[in-house]
Amino acid sequence: MERFSVVSPSPEPFMRTAVIPTQDPPTEGELGTSPAERAEERDLVFEGFAYQCRIVRQPAPLTEPLVLLGGSSQNRYSWQGHEKWLSPLCTLITVDLPGYGSADFLPARYDIDFLADAVAHMLGELDVPKVNLFGGCFGEVVGLRFAQLHPSFVRRILFAGAAKRLPSLYTDAVPRLTQALERGAIEEAADGLVQLFMSNPEAGRVRKHAAVARLLRNQFLTQTPDEIRKAVEHNTRLTTHGPYRPLPVPEVPSLVFTGEYDTLCTPEMGRELAATMPGARFTTVKEGDHLVTVERRAESADLIGRFCTDRPIEDLPYCNAVEAL
């Protein structure tokens, strides 16, 4: 993937208050520069572990910076496809936390609290006092713990493909996938991971299902030895420490969503999680499954952007009913 050089080693403090838009946000063309031209990279170190973040600055933001925490197989570049919709609204921050992406390997004895503290460390280093927080799949596990342990940073919360308990599909598959990876049976592991993350085609129509399945399989097949080692350690970390602690969640605007045919973290699991969050709402995106942010990229970016700028999310043509839990 393309890397971007550091534009400014000493970034200015980020926006501290939100401005509610009264009209549609500007387009990328109206801004005059592309997200890539506004991007910079920062190298950081937390408790001895090096990690990296990517920042796409918005000079005239409509809301607080948006931190995007992706799944275990995503990295800080995985959200570039969403930037043309989201970067007109606010500054975007993505990160390879220790143990993921190009960051240092992180032994499984370091738990979810450690990763949540690393997010807080990053925001401190960037001088970002308040953020909109998005977490998808494993990013929700880290994001929720971050919100619980560091609530003063959080302005709004959005989670996708989320659950407060490990899905049985995952716990059943982990031993088989780990053994396949450890013995170098990469194709077997790739096929198993695609089946895990994507819905059965008979569950219902999912946009770009075949194309995303091919993309996902190819991504797994081309993993480096370092990425495979980190993937095995990730599974150990998650099954050892678990995804959830019943700590207070800040009372901020919150939304949980997933694809209507998500068979990994099912809509019912999403509702369970939303019920633990004060005032949270829940919805499902039509014709999507666990990888809804990939399958329906424009729609998921629109939903995220609307929520972060306090625009209506009811009666959207690509969503089912919005539920108040």
Side-chain angles (χ1 to χ4, degrees), residues 15-26 60-64 88-90 132 155-156 253 281 304-312:
M15 173 185 185
R16 298 176 187 276
T17 58
V19 178
I20 304 303
T22 57
Q23 57 188 13
D24 289 338
L62 301 178
T63 185
E64 290 83 0
L89 304 177
C90 61
N132 296 308
R155 176 66 179 85
R156 297 176 186 83
R281 289 182 282 174
I304 293 167
R306 283 176 172 275
F307 190 78
C308 288
T309 53
D310 295 329
R311 285 176 286 159

Side-chain angles (χ1 to χ4, degrees), residues 230-259:
K230 287 174 179 174
V232 171
E233 203 72 4
H234 160 77
N235 290 332
T236 303
R237 178 174 10 264
L238 196 50
T239 54
T240 300
H241 300 289
Y244 179 74
R245 287 177 62 191
L247 301 172
V249 180
E251 192 166 346
V252 297
S254 302
L255 175 68
V256 179
F257 70 92
T258 193

Side-chain angles (χ1 to χ4, degrees):
M1 273 205 192
E2 184 179 1
R3 299 299 198 259
F4 296 95
S5 59
V6 174
V7 174
S8 169
S10 301
E12 294 298 318
F14 286 74
M15 173 185 185
R16 298 176 187 276
T17 58
V19 178
I20 304 303
T22 57
Q23 57 188 13
D24 289 338
T27 65
E28 182 179 315
E30 290 169 336
L31 289 171
T33 56
S34 69
E37 292 173 304
R38 302 196 305 277
E40 65 182 70
E41 301 255 333
R42 292 289 300 274
D43 293 321
L44 303 168
V45 178
F46 178 63
E47 300 291 332
F49 294 94
Y51 69 105
Q52 299 78 33
C53 67
R54 182 174 188 269
I55 308 149
V56 177
R57 295 187 180 278
Q58 170 48 256
L62 301 178
T63 185
E64 290 83 0
L66 172 61
V67 172
L68 294 156
L69 301 176
S72 59
S73 60
Q74 294 179 314
N75 60 30
R76 66 188 185 276
Y77 302 107
S78 297
W79 299 94
Q80 286 179 283
H82 295 74
E83 287 174 358
K84 68 178 180 179
W85 294 288
L86 294 174
S87 66
L89 304 177
C90 61
T91 292
L92 305 179
I93 303 171
T94 55
V95 59
D96 288 351
L97 291 171
Y100 300 86
S102 62
D104 283 351
F105 177 81
L106 185 71
R109 66 178 179 273
Y110 290 90
D111 61 7
I112 309 303
D113 286 20
F114 181 89
L115 296 172
D117 291 343
V119 176
H121 174 263
M122 173 187 71
L123 296 181
E125 291 293 297
L126 298 180
D127 191 20
V128 181
K130 194 75 79 171
V131 298
N132 296 308
L133 174 68
F134 172 85
C137 192
F138 179 65
E140 170 268 313
V141 174
V142 178
L144 179 60
R145 194 69 53 86
F146 165 73
Q148 291 172 319
L149 298 179
H150 305 280
S152 64
F153 281 105
V154 180
R155 176 66 179 85
R156 297 176 186 83
I157 297 173
L158 300 101
F159 292 144
K164 59 178 285 192
R165 52 190 168 95
L166 291 178
S168 58
L169 282 176
Y170 174 80
T171 54
D172 291 345
V174 161
R176 298 193 303 274
L177 295 172
T178 299
Q179 290 167 14
L181 289 171
E182 288 176 338
R183 68 173 186 270
I186 306 303
E187 289 202 13
E188 177 186 334
D191 290 338
L193 286 164
V194 169
Q195 292 175 10
L196 178 66
F197 283 109
M198 303 204 68
S199 65
N200 186 316
E202 296 177 1
R205 181 176 185 268
V206 170
R207 298 277 183 99
K208 302 179 182 177
H209 189 281
V212 171
R214 288 194 300 270
L215 219 120
L216 194 61
R217 187 175 190 276
N218 184 64
Q219 178 183 329
F220 291 136
L221 286 174
T222 56
Q223 287 184 111
T224 66
D226 177 65
E227 289 170 334
I228 292 173
R229 182 178 179 229
K230 287 174 179 174
V232 171
E233 203 72 4
H234 160 77
N235 290 332
T236 303
R237 178 174 10 264
L238 196 50
T239 54
T240 300
H241 300 289
Y244 179 74
R245 287 177 62 191
L247 301 172
V249 180
E251 192 166 346
V252 297
S254 302
L255 175 68
V256 179
F257 70 92
T258 193
E260 64 179 342
Y261 299 120
D262 189 340
T263 51
L264 180 60
C265 296
T266 64
E268 189 53 43
M269 291 179 180
R271 289 185 182 93
E272 281 181 11
L273 176 67
T276 70
M277 303 165 64
R281 289 182 282 174
F282 175 82
T283 191
T284 55
V285 177
K286 297 175 182 177
E287 299 181 7
D289 61 17
H290 189 70
L291 298 180
V292 63
T293 56
V294 180
E295 297 151 349
R296 306 213 63 179
R297 186 173 289 165
E299 293 85 356
S300 60
D302 181 64
L303 181 60
I304 293 167
R306 283 176 172 275
F307 190 78
C308 288
T309 53
D310 295 329
R311 285 176 286 159
I313 61 170
E314 291 78 11
D315 302 318
L316 296 175
Y318 55 82
C319 280
N320 292 303
V322 176
E323 306 169 26
L325 301 173

